[in-house]
Amino acid sequence: MLRRLALTAVVPLAVLATAVPASTATASGAASSGPVPSAVPTSGPFAAARPALGPLPVPLPLPGFLDDGEGNGSGEADEARTRLTVSVENTGVPGADGTFELECGPTGGTHPEGQAACDRLAEAGATRAGRQELFRETPEGTMCTMIHGGDATARIVGTWEGRAVDTTASRRDGCEIARWNSLVPVLPDVR
């Protein structure tokens, strides 16, 4: 997305830079039948204050473009990658308990549902509310239903879209159950 945005900005500047010198020429071709009126003063006190028109400077590429185009280079693109360690206990689901590594951009690690988990994180990151709420713990004093969803607990530590993450999740009440379910498939589905 960032690459597309930067290219969108660079291309019009390049076109403008080549069009400016052509537009300052006089229109005295075969189709012209006389002098063309100009907005640039040719006499008087403002005649000497002509702007120096020429090629516009070309912007430098953004740091993310110095890599192979896939976000695998060094610098800011590497920092924005998602790297999480997900530790899950007491789910009662075979194969769901354990510690798993999750990497997104590109997908990697030992997480059993890596691609689906990365897709969920990308979906949440696409909205402002998702970025603010996804890993936020339930605030103290929140009124939650007293439904016990099991003894499953999880801890998620690492970086998500360049932001530090260190949170725990459980299924001790209705708020925590909803929070856990919003993190599936990063966390296992234990319903």
Side-chain angles (χ1 to χ4, degrees), residues 1 5 9 24 41 60 67 70 83 110 128 144 158:
M1 174 73 179
L5 179 63
T24 59
L60 295 174
D67 55 19
E70 297 295 322
R83 291 187 182 117
T110 59
R128 181 173 181 216
C144 301

Side-chain angles (χ1 to χ4, degrees), residues 151-162:
D151 295 325
T153 59
R155 181 165 186 208
I156 304 171
V157 178
T159 58
W160 174 55
E161 295 185 347

